[in-house]
Structure formats: C-alpha cells, structure tokens
C-alpha cells in the first residue's frame, strides 16, 4: 500500500453535440470531466459514485486512454500516458483492463466462453496451448467450471457472465481494473457473490481498482476510499465508511445518502415508500442549468450562501482524510 | 394488510397511507374488468447443445387496468424470457414456444404472423429492454428514432407533431436539455440516459400495456424516483397497466400493486405487494427478502441464499426450490407443488400450504 499507481492532474474532457451535416451547429456542449485531480493508490479499491451522467464512465475511459482528454495529465506507475502513441500504449494496455455493467458488452456472443477468455492472451501472442491452460486457471479462479467452457455466454446467467468477463479482464495479469457498475444489473444475492469475488481477487492478486457505481451503499461495501462526482467534478473524497456514515458535502448528504427503501434489522423502513417521498427525491435531483461560475451544486443546494455563486470551491481538507469541495469547509485561515 | 386497509380514507388523516390505499382500491376495481394481458400456462424452452433449458415452464398471470405487477426473482429465473414471450420476441431457434397462450386485448399473440405482430409490438405492448443501449439503433440520432417510432404507430402524426411529442416524452423522463438529447447518438449518452430514452420511446407510442425489464438499474436514486413517479402517474392517469421486472425491492415497494415471485421458470408466489413483502409465505420469497442487505452490514455479512438454483437443463421432479429450502420434506422431492390459493388473490406454490393438509402446518414428514 505504498505510493500511487495512478495520478491524474487537471483532467478535462468536453463533448459537443452538433446538428446539420454541412453547417454543423453546436446544440450542446457537455463537460463530462472537469478539471479532475485524483490519486489512486497502489493496491486500493477507489470507489467513484455520482448521479447518471456525472462523468464516472468518462473518467475511467480517460484513464485507460480509450478516449483522449482535452487537457490534463495521467501518470500510470510512474509513466506519463499523455502523448503516448497507440503503439506505445500497447504494452500498457495489458496492465489496465475494464469490466462493464452489462457483461455481454465485454463478451463476444458468437464465441464460446473458452474462446472469449483466451482471446486477449492470443492477441498478445501467448501460444495456443498455454492460453488454453491459463483460461482453465482463470475460470477456476472466478469460481466457474472450466469443463463447461465450450458453452456460449448466453447459456450462462448474468452473474456467471460477469464472472467470465472478470476472468477475461484478468487474463493478461493487469495491475489495474476499471470496474464500471459491475454489479448494478445483478440481483442482490448475486451482487454479494460478485463483490466478494472481487474483494478476494483484489487481495490475492494485489490489484488496484477504480470501482464505479451510482449507489453509495454498494461502493461502501467494497471500496477503501470513495470519491463523489457531480457534473464532471469531484465534490468529496474520503474513507468510504466515513463518507457513507457522515457525508459532508451537501450533495452527498441530500442526495446520495437517500435510498428508496432499506431493510434494517429485518424490518422494512419506509424511506421512500410514499408518493411524497418520491416527489421529494425528485425535487432534490432536479437539474439546473450549469452555472458559469461558482459552485456546480449551487442551483440545488439548500445551504448555499454568499460566496457560492461567484467562487468555485476547490477541494478543501475538512478533516485528516476528508476533502470537500464546498465553501462551508473553507479553513478559517484561508477565509476572507 | 393492503386489502384490509384499502377502503380507508384516501384523504385526510391517513394521507400517508395514500399510496397503499390507491393500490388497494386499484386492485379492487381492477378485479371487475377483463384482463388486458393474460398469460396462460406459458412454456418457452431453449434447445441448446447441452440440452433443453426450460426457461419458462408453465407461467400464468393476468394484468388488468391499474395493475402494476412486479415480477421478481433471481437472475436466470425466467423473467426476461417471460417478457420477451409476451411480444413473441424470443429468438427461435434456439427458443421454442412449447405450450400455452398469451392474450393481449383478447388476441392470441403467439399464433400471429409477422405483420400482425408489428401492431402488437410498441403500439399495444410497449417494452423497455434490460440492456438500455443495445435496444437503441447506434446509427440514428435519438430524435430520429423517436420521431420514426411515433410516426410508425400513428401515421397521421406529421413531423412537427411527432417532434413535439418526442420532446414531451424526453421531458417526462427527466431530461432538461431536450435539443441536445434529440441530436445525440446513443453512444453519446451515458448508460442511465439510454435507459430513460428507452422509456421515452416506449411511452411515446401510447401502448395499452407497458413492460419494463429492470427499468431503473442503471439510474441513481434521484432519477429512479423520477422514473418511478412517472410510471405511477401514467398508470393512474391513463389506466396503463405496467409490468416491472426487477430485482430491487425498493422499486417493488415504491410502485407495485402486486408481486409475482419467479424461481426456476415458475411463479412461486403471487399476491398484493404489502402482503408479500411483510409476510412472505413461500420459503423462497422469505429467503429472498431476508437476503436484502441491511445497508449497515459488510459484504462479508451478507446472507445470500445458500446453494444454487437448479441447473435449468435438469430441473428436479419435485419442488424446484427443494435443494435450498429450509422446510423441505419428503413429498417436496417427489411432487411438484401446484399454486395453492391461500387467501383472496394470494397464491403459493408450496406443499406447506396444501389446504387438504391445513395451511402452513403440513406435517413435515
Ligand atoms: N462520446 C460522447 N459524445 C458526446 N457526449 C458524451 C460522450 N460520452 C459521454 N458523453 C456525455 O458526457 C456526460 C457524462 O457521461 P458518462 O457516461 O461519463 O456518465 P456516467 O457518470 O457514467 O453516467 P451513468 O451513471 O448514467 O452511466 C453525459 O452527459 C454524456 O452524455
Ligand atoms: N437465447 C437463449 N439461448 C439459450 N438459453 C437462454 C436464452 N435466453 C435465455 N436463456 C436461458 O433462459 C433462462 C432464463 O433467462 P432469463 O429470462 O433471461 O432470466 P432472468 O430472470 O434473469 O431475466 C436462463 O437459464 C437463460 O440462460
Ligand atoms: S459551496 Fe455553497 S452551494 Fe456549493 S455545496 Fe457548498 S454550500 Fe452548497
Ligand atoms: S414445497 Fe417443500 S421444498 Fe418446496 S418450498 Fe415448499 S417446503 Fe420448501
Ligand atoms: Mg456510466
Ligand atoms: Mg433478465
């Protein structure tokens, strides 16, 4: 647990949507990732939570250089990735892999499970016989029976497909895995199994994870630290348990802390059983036009005060291991 | 339980019971009307190389105006195949409709040809698919897909009309930057956005019944709330019956009026939502609800149901839950239990509820 595996500085990515084939008029610009600084420590699971469209997937894809950043730098294991050519990236791709929410997205439905898992190995020149042996090892490692690997992905359940996708992602012995909502489409009992598997693999193989989810409850169960995203920006960063139990940023408190319902001590708690509760949640999540200046959450924030509209708060150090991008946590000496 | 509370004050002091009251009343009113959807002993199997997968193996249920039926169950239990069968969308081969019927508005869907099916899909039965991006065409903008769908189902709508309806539909599912979304291609939207677009397309066709397969899995809680409210409102304002397939009891709790619990290709328990969530009777339902994680426990403390669902290729003769059931007894391994009616509209597929042996107190020999 020493040092950072990944260091991201000033990362920025905007997308344009245009209309018209000849006179391309820009109908919208989305800043999906906005000036993000982030360290991912070697051997940690860093959770990333945020609402739909907050930029979580884009952040991960930028780090893996599946898309190009507009600005900023990414350092992976001491190597600057920015500016590397496709060819120079190739050896590094082995070390960074991705797992998607929909396991079928990472698997080829027309290939057997064995072929799917062997594919990345063959692509990197591993001899066929060796790839076969490694495939069997990998499937065993994720809890599947290699003698069934002649089957096709659709013959497996969702949870099993996700195991296959994980086996495939681990084939090249990566150091870093970007997990984009890997359990969101699975049901609770299977979610738990996959989370346990991921934890176990992470510890055994000394992997580093960036684990994305829209659900703070899930992230908290697996991640050491959690970062909260909103409109492409990081709003809060800290120990996962602490962020879950005592959120500090108004966004984390009001929004991510809310759940539709919970079951505690064997009883259903009526967190949002009633229509009014839904209305309430609905109001809290209402989107407001992105402010030009000031805090990105100001439009929806109940605790907004004077500086919020004009000054964009950076991540302030609120406690020893908590960083919060909100003027409420501006340290006294930095005030005025 | 909901049925008992239903007639009580929809307004006034019991306002916080409104949702329950409405659900109960809806169920009471609905029981008079003819069902809009009736699935009768549906069997959809897959003929795979390794053997026959009995994905749906004798499923029956009815959906009436005002119903919001939640189908819950573990992954692989046959929920999606049930939904696809209603639209005759199961890939054949390897799939085959081995038995049973699906009636939509009295029409027998499974016996219809391709042209007749065109009218059923979208116009009569709207469907939101589990994989949000996969159900959109990657090479057309969201706007043109919406407009095209609206005009296909409503040929009198001109382009401007259709565009207006498309914009309204996007507004309803929680987008505010409508023009931006209309001009976007699916790959330019996040997973959650694609899921909402799918819902907008389904609703824009004004279907008679809506089937939503995991409609909120990719969504954060705020957008979830928005979508669930929208579904509830459509259900009440338009008398649009809805089937939601979900593994999230939060969704069930928030909007469903009835629940059907599936396991290994069969409905194991069906009834009103409060009755089932508060007092599950089938051992599987009880275990499933028990496995809903307490948000304060760790992964390590999760009580997943021990054991595995039976291999769908070699389903056991008796009760399909027998290998994992805490109350299994000799009869369970020999005889498949039928659905026993234990109360008004409540059915349980378990020998413990065999009326000839006394409810819930069957001697466990
Ligand atoms: N290729 C692209 N072209 C245009 N806009 C894009 C593109 N990719 C992403 N975006 C936009 O960037 C924003 C962030 O998208 P991203 O996929 O990172 O969100 P997310 O946090 O992963 O959301 P979700 O939880 O819904 O998956 C969205 O507004 C999306 O529409
Ligand atoms: N195209 C297919 N070919 C073979 N088997 C299939 C196919 N589609 C689904 N199945 C099988 O049918 C069963 C039920 O699947 P499904 O309805 O998708 O479950 P869920 O309840 O998770 O929606 C599973 O055993 C699955 O593997
Ligand atoms: S900076 Fe101001 S507007 Fe932003 S979250 Fe903090 S209090 Fe709210
Ligand atoms: S029939 Fe038997 S095995 Fe099946 S659920 Fe009931 S008690 Fe359990
Ligand atoms: Mg995403
Ligand atoms: Mg499914």
């Amino acid at each position: 647990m020493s040092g950072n595996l990944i260091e991201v500085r000033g990362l920025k990515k905007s997308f344009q949507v245009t209309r018209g084939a000849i006179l391309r008029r820009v109908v919208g610009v989305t800043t999906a990732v906005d000036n993000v600084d982030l360290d991912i420590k070697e051997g940690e699971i860093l959770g990333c939570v945020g609402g739909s469209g907050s930029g979580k997937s884009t952040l991960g894809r930028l780090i893996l250089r599946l898309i190009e950043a507009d600005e900023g730098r990414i350092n992976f294991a001491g190597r600057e990735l920015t500016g590397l050519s496709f060819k120079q990236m190739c050896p590094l791709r082995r070390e960074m892999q991705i797992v998607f929410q929909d396991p079928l997205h990472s698997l080829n439905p027309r290939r057997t499970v064995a072929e799917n898992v062997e594919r990345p190995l063959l692509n990197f020149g591993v001899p066929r016989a060796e790839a076969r042996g490694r495939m069997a090892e990998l499937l065993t490692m994720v809890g599947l029976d290699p003698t069934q690997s002649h089957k096709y992905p659709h013959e497996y359940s969702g949870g099993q497909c996700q195991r296959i996708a994980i086996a495939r992602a681990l084939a090249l012995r990566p150091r870093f895995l970007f997990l984009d909502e890997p359990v969101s489409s699975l049901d609770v009992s299977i979610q738990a199994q996959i989370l346990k598997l991921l934890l176990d693999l992470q510890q055994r193989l000394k992997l580093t994870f960036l684990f994305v989810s829209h659900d703070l409850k899930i992230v908290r169960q697996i991640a050491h630290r959690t970062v909260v995203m909103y409109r492409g920006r990081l709003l809060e960063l800290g120990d996962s348990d602490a962020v879950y139990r005592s959120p500090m940023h108004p966004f984390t408190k009001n929004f991510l802390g809310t759940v539709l319902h919970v079951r505690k001590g064997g009883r259903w708690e009526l967190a949002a059983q009633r229509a009014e509760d839904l209305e309430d949640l609905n109001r809290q999540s209402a989107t407001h036009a992105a402010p030009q200046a000031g805090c990105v959450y100001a439009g929806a924030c109940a605790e907004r005060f004077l500086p919020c509209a004009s000054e964009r708060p950076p991540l302030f150090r609120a406690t020893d291991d908590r960083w919060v991008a909100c003027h409420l946590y501006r340290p006294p000496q930095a005030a005025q | 339980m909901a049925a008992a509370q239903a007639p009580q004050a929809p307004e006034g002091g019991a306002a916080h019971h409104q949702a329950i009251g409405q659900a109960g009343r809806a169920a009471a009113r609905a029981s008079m009307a003819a069902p809009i959807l009736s699935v009768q002993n549906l069997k959809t199997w897959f003929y795979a190389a390794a053997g026959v997968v009995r994905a749906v193996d004798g499923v029956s249920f009815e959906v009436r105006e005002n119903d919001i039926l939640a189908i819950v169950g573990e992954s692989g239990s046959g929920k999606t195949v049930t939904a696809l069968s209603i639209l005759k969308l199961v890939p054949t081969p390897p799939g085959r409709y081995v038995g049973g019927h699906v009636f939509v508005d009295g029409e027998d869907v499974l016996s219809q040809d391709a042209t007749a099916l065109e009218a059923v899909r979208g116009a009569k039965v709207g469907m939101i698919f589990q994989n949000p991006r996969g159900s959109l065409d990657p090479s057309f903008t969201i706007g043109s897909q919406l407009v095209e769908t609206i005009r296909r189902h409503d040929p009198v709508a001109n382009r401007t009309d259709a565009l207006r309806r498309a914009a309204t539909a996007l507004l309803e599912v929680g987008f505010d930057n409508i023009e931006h979304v209309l001009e976007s291609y699916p790959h330019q939207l996040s997973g959650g956005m694609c899921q909402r677009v799918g819902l907008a397309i389904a609703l824009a066709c004004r279907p008679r019944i809506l089937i939503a397969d995991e409609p909120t899995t990719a969504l954060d809680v705020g957008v979830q709330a928005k979508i669930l409210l929208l579904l509830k409102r459509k259900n009440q304002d338009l008398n649009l019956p809805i089937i939601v397939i979900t593994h999230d009891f939060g969704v069930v709790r928030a909007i469903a009026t009835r629940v059907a619990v599936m396991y290994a290709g069969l409905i194991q328990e069906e009834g009103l939502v409060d009755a089932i969530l508060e007092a599950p009777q089938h051992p599987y339902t009880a275990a499933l609800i028990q496995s809903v994680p307490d948000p304060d426990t760790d992964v390590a403390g999760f009580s997943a149901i021990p054991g595995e669902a039976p291999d769908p290729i070699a389903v056991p003769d008796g009760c399909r839950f027998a290998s994992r059931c805490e109350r299994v007894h000799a009869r369970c391994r020999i005889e498949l239990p039928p659905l026993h009616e234990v109360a008004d509209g409540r059915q349980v597929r378990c020998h413990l509820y065999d009326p000839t042996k006394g409810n819930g107190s069957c001697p466990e020999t």
Side-chain angles (χ1 to χ4, degrees), chain A residues 249-250 295 297-298 301 303-305 308 313 326-328:
Chain A
H249 196 285
C295 170
Y297 189 54
C301 183
E303 302 180 49
R304 187 179 56 229
F305 63 115
C308 302
C326 166
H327 289 301
L328 294 171

Side-chain angles (χ1 to χ4, degrees), chain B residues 124-137:
Chain B
K124 284 208 166 163
V125 185
M127 170 115 187
I128 311 165
F129 294 92
Q130 183 164 6
N131 167 6
R133 213 183 298 270
S135 53
L136 298 171
D137 190 328

Side-chain angles (χ1 to χ4, degrees), chain B:
Chain B
M1 264 171 247
Q5 281 175 2
Q8 286 173 9
E11 300 110 334
H16 61 281
H17 275 307
Q18 203 172 3
I20 302 172
Q22 277 161 356
R25 271 183 292 123
R29 216 180 321 139
S31 61
M32 320 289 169
I36 289 178
L37 170 71
S38 167
V39 175
Q40 299 178 359
N41 201 23
L42 177 71
K43 290 187 181 178
T44 309
W45 296 357
F46 291 95
Y47 290 78
V52 181
V53 178
R54 292 155 78 167
V56 175
D57 204 20
V59 162
S60 306
F61 59 88
E62 291 184 340
V63 181
R64 298 180 157 79
E65 278 185 0
N66 300 313
D67 276 346
I68 300 184
L69 172 70
I71 302 183
V72 296
E74 279 173 65
S75 149
S77 55
K79 307 182 295 291
T80 298
V81 175
T82 303
L84 292 176
S85 302
I86 293 171
L87 287 161
K88 207 175 173 186
L89 273 179
V90 173
T92 51
R96 194 186 297 171
Y97 303 101
V98 179
H101 295 278
V102 173
F103 293 100
V104 175
D105 256 348
E107 280 176 58
D108 188 347
V109 175
L110 296 182
S111 67
Q112 283 178 337
D113 62 13
T115 25
L117 282 170
E118 274 300 301
V120 173
R121 296 176 192 152
K124 284 208 166 163
V125 185
M127 170 115 187
I128 311 165
F129 294 92
Q130 183 164 6
N131 167 6
R133 213 183 298 270
S135 53
L136 298 171
D137 190 328
S139 44
F140 291 95
T141 62
I142 302 302
S144 59
Q145 294 189 52
L146 261 165
V147 166
E148 203 257 341
T149 325
I150 291 169
R151 295 191 68 188
R152 183 151 31 91
H153 293 294
D154 189 357
V156 283
N158 61 30
R159 255 199 76 82
T160 328
D161 268 357
L163 202 58
R164 194 169 323 114
R165 268 169 66 184
T168 314
L170 290 177
L171 207 64
E172 280 187 329
V173 295
F175 286 109
D176 51 1
N177 46 350
I178 305 297
E179 194 184 7
H180 182 161
V181 177
L182 283 171
E183 296 296 331
S184 294
Y185 291 87
H187 78 271
Q188 296 179 318
L189 300 179
S190 76
M193 292 168 166
C194 287
Q195 202 164 31
R196 285 186 276 159
V197 167
L199 176 59
I201 290 181
L203 287 175
C205 299
R206 301 178 177 161
R208 285 282 281 144
I209 176 169
L210 182 71
I211 303 176
D213 195 353
E214 306 277 5
T216 59
T217 42
L219 304 176
D220 61 78
V221 65
V223 186
Q224 258 189 41
K226 189 168 286 173
I227 297 298
L228 294 177
L229 257 181
L230 172 72
L231 290 178
K232 202 167 186 153
R233 222 171 40 231
K234 293 280 170 192
N235 168 257
Q236 285 167 358
D237 299 351
L238 309 175
N239 287 339
L240 174 71
I242 298 174
I243 299 177
V244 277
I245 296 173
T246 182
H247 61 262
D248 184 344
F249 280 98
V251 172
V252 175
R253 183 99 182 154
I255 65 164
T257 59
R258 288 195 300 136
V259 188
V261 182
M262 273 189 87
Y263 184 79
L266 286 169
I267 290 182
Q268 305 291 346
E269 179 161 9
E270 200 201 320
L272 290 174
V273 66
D274 290 286
I276 292 200
L277 290 191
E278 295 301 338
Q281 292 190 325
H282 194 287
Y284 173 64
T285 319
L288 191 65
I289 289 175
Q290 205 55 50
S291 77
V292 172
D294 188 322
D296 289 335
T297 53
D298 293 330
V299 193
F302 272 18
S303 58
I305 306 173
E308 294 240 353
D311 180 352
I313 290 177
V315 285
D317 280 338
C319 171
R320 299 207 173 159
F321 189 54
S323 62
R324 298 165 86 183
C325 181
E326 283 183 345
R327 304 190 62 186
V328 59
H329 48 284
R331 187 181 176 194
C332 307
R333 301 204 191 269
I334 305 159
E335 196 188 323
L336 176 69
L339 276 170
H340 293 296
E341 178 132 7
V342 293
D344 221 14
R346 174 112 185 235
Q347 297 186 305
V348 184
R349 188 185 290 283
C350 169
H351 290 308
L352 296 173
Y353 298 89
D354 184 344
T356 62
K357 301 279 168 65
N359 273 2
S361 56
C362 165
E364 293 175 24
T365 44

Side-chain angles (χ1 to χ4, degrees), chain A residues 267-293:
Chain A
R267 296 284 313 159
W268 293 98
E269 291 208 355
L270 318 179
Q273 179 206 3
R274 294 168 283 140
E276 310 96 88
D277 294 330
L278 288 178
E279 295 278 11
D280 227 38
L281 277 176
N282 188 13
R283 222 173 358 242
Q284 286 171 23
S285 71
T287 43
H288 301 261
Q292 289 302 308

Side-chain angles (χ1 to χ4, degrees), chain A residues 13-17 28-33 48-61 67 101 178 180-181 212-214 229 232, chain B residues 133 177 180-181 184-194 196 218-220:
Chain A
K13 177 72 185 175
S14 298
F15 295 106
Q16 282 189 354
V17 172
V29 180
T30 310
T31 306
V33 169
C48 174
V49 276
S52 173
S54 57
K56 309 179 293 295
S57 302
T58 307
L59 175 63
R61 283 154 68 211
I67 49 175
Q101 170 177 354
F178 167 42
D180 195 354
E181 309 245 15
V212 159
S213 172
H214 58 270
M229 271 188 99
Chain B
R133 213 183 298 270
N177 46 350
H180 182 161
V181 177
S184 294
Y185 291 87
H187 78 271
Q188 296 179 318
L189 300 179
S190 76
M193 292 168 166
C194 287
R196 285 186 276 159
L219 304 176
D220 61 78

Side-chain angles (χ1 to χ4, degrees), chain A residues 6-26:
Chain A
I6 294 173
E7 290 178 4
V8 170
R9 291 293 174 272
L11 200 62
K12 191 164 179 175
K13 177 72 185 175
S14 298
F15 295 106
Q16 282 189 354
V17 172
T18 54
R19 135 187 251 173
I22 303 152
L23 285 173
R24 302 182 67 79
R25 186 162 71 83
V26 177

